[in-house]
Amino acid sequence: MELINRNFLATRYKRRNFLLGAGLITGLVVASQLHPVMAQTRFSGYPFTLGVASGDPLPDSVVLWTRLAPDPVNGGGMSPVNIPVQWQIARDENMTQVVQKGTVLATPELAHSVHVDVRGLEPDRWYWYQFKVGNEVSPKGRTRTAAAPHSSIQKFNFAFASCQDWQNGFYTAYKHMAEEDLDLVVHLGDYIYEYGPRSGAPRQHIGPEIITLSDYRNRYALYRTDVNLQAAHANFPWIFTWDDHEVDNNYANFIPEDDQSRQAFERRRASAYQAYYEHMPLRLSSLPKQSSMLLYRRLTFGDLAEFNVLDTRQYRTDQPCNDGLKPLCNAALDAAATMTGARQEGWLLRGLDKSKARWNVIAQQTMLGQFDFDARPDSQVFNVDQWDGYVAARNRLLSFLAQRRPSNPVVITGDIHSSWVHDLKADFNNPLSATVGTEFVGTSITSSFPTNSIAPVRAALNNNPHTKFFDGAYRGYVRCQLTRERWQTDYRVVSSILEENASISTLASFVVENGQPGAKTA
């Protein structure tokens, strides 16, 4: 199905908003005249099986999300009709101080998902929200708006996570995350995995490797049924970006991992991108247009923190040197090789240059810091799916940080299923060169790091003096506590991903002092 262009959608929104007369409507009304509007009051099951979520907080706005899916992993179980969904947002958990409410259409074109971009909210405060359809009421969610631009805030707490392979274990980490004192959660990719079932796994994917739109919808629905993931979504606003498994492992732009034609992979990527949008609280600006989707964006929280959210899959050039772990070939040094594409790279550098925030966060996917995985002093091996395969692009970013010196650049990273801390160097091959920033790499929620790789990585640490910490044994998330003078990162890990009641602990803590790039043990 070819999606209707954004201008048409904007016009349709205005008209539908007038016709329904129920407040601001920003849920997707795609080709709404193709289906009757039905005030459906009876479903085959509870329609809010996937919970609620909110995301991309602005000082006066936040996106509220849900999807009607009484039979979630079998296509959703909805009739092909448009369903009016009521929503409201309040200042209190009991929903007695309602500040806005309205009605939005859930349409079959977008799997009966709704995205309500609520405007006119107060900055830097908590709100509670809820949906209703017929006589069915959703769980309540809690969200928070960003602080007003340039307002001075004294602290900000957030967590980041990535890589949650359903088959590998239970989402106990999210159970504990939901209990943290956080203002925000940032997800750095691999929200789902595309693989088919794996024998012996603690829980199973349904069906073979996913390819079609219905495949991707069912996979997202499966993941979204997890009660711990739902709890973390319901308690905080989230910011999202993707990595590779939302489409296909290690894909680069229109180049798949598998042996697919360009045309076939374009269709697959379009399906994957649409399903991603359908299941995330994203604004209309991220509505996919066929096989393209605008996901990189910038969010600011007063004068304390600004997040530059990158997309390093959609625009990147192919992995050099035939991918994998290997010595660098000439293609890895090519100035034309890119992780972000020229437009996104320029956007990032301009934003950093103009930023007035105390802490400038780059939220992205694969490890930025150089790491030589070969412990032998006369040999080098790098992971070329990471920034080590795009050396010139990384050098441009690090040179910019060294020359323009934006305030306290901190990179947060996922992908590698293990925990790392790097000092970002002007020249990684010269340990005496300037430290221009800090990178915190978070472990996975459940996805595995090869146990037989832990010892070789530890052995290689001596050859990588800018790497201050590594752990590959534990799964979990990363908690960050920001004040005006100090950033503290806590690596929060669960005792086991195979136990639904596993305990949580802090594996290690690091701090970055204002004006002093590089991490120190807390």
Side-chain angles (χ1 to χ4, degrees), residues 10 25 65 190-191 291 309 321 350 381 410 422 453 458 485:
I25 291 180
W65 174 93
D190 294 346
Y191 192 94
S291 58
V309 183
C321 322
R350 288 192 299 274
V381 171
V410 178
H422 300 295
S453 296
R458 287 176 177 163
E485 298 304 322

Side-chain angles (χ1 to χ4, degrees), residues 56 187 191 233 238-242 276 280-281 295 297 309:
D56 275 15
H187 199 281
Y191 192 94
H233 275 300
W238 287 41
I239 296 173
F240 299 89
T241 188
W242 51 32
Y276 185 86
M280 303 298 165
L295 198 59
R297 59 210 187 280
V309 183

Side-chain angles (χ1 to χ4, degrees), residues 243-244 250-251 253 311-316 319 366 385:
D243 196 17
D244 52 344
N250 275 23
Y251 87 96
N253 202 312
D311 173 357
T312 64
R313 286 291 167 187
Q314 186 175 183
Y315 313 105
R316 70 153 72 186
Q319 290 92 343
T366 63
D385 182 57

Side-chain angles (χ1 to χ4, degrees), residues 67 103 188 277 324 376 407 474:
R67 179 189 167 199
T103 301
L188 297 173
Y277 181 85
R376 296 171 297 180
S407 177
Y474 289 98

Side-chain angles (χ1 to χ4, degrees), residues 209-283:
E209 181 162 336
I210 53 178
I211 301 292
T212 67
L213 178 56
S214 62
D215 291 341
Y216 282 101
R217 284 171 169 171
N218 287 339
R219 186 60 54 84
Y220 276 103
L222 175 66
Y223 279 51
R224 282 279 194 168
T225 60
D226 187 274
V227 294
N228 293 326
L229 178 58
Q230 287 189 17
H233 275 300
N235 276 9
F236 318 108
W238 287 41
I239 296 173
F240 299 89
T241 188
W242 51 32
D243 196 17
D244 52 344
H245 288 288
E246 286 87 354
V247 182
D248 183 32
N249 179 52
N250 275 23
Y251 87 96
N253 202 312
F254 285 111
I255 303 167
E257 177 189 44
D258 310 312
D259 186 18
Q260 289 180 294
S261 69
R262 164 75 181 242
Q263 185 178 30
F265 188 67
E266 281 191 27
R267 289 195 299 269
R268 182 180 186 181
R269 199 175 96 160
S271 296
Y273 283 13
Q274 180 170 332
Y276 185 86
Y277 181 85
E278 290 170 351
H279 290 86
M280 303 298 165
L282 294 166
R283 287 189 168 79

Side-chain angles (χ1 to χ4, degrees), residues 22-49:
L24 181 64
I25 291 180
T26 53
L28 292 171
V29 187
V30 180
S32 60
Q33 292 182 338
L34 297 178
H35 304 284
V37 177
M38 183 175 295
Q40 182 173 332
T41 57
R42 299 183 64 183
F43 300 90
S44 60
Y46 183 56
F48 297 106
T49 57

Side-chain angles (χ1 to χ4, degrees), residues 324-328 366-389 394 415-420 422 441 449-450 452-464 466-467 470 472:
L325 283 168
K326 55 192 59 180
L328 296 187
T366 63
M367 212 153 73
L368 180 67
Q370 177 177 291
F371 194 82
D372 175 11
F373 285 86
D374 196 327
R376 296 171 297 180
D378 57 347
S379 181
Q380 291 183 318
V381 171
F382 299 97
N383 183 342
V384 297
D385 182 57
Q386 300 176 168
W387 285 81
D388 278 334
R394 179 175 61 196
D415 177 66
I416 198 170
H417 311 170
S418 45
S419 301
W420 307 67
H422 300 295
V441 182
F449 186 84
N452 60 0
S453 296
I454 295 175
V457 171
R458 287 176 177 163
L461 289 173
N462 287 337
N463 290 347
N464 298 271
H466 57 277
T467 301
F470 162 76

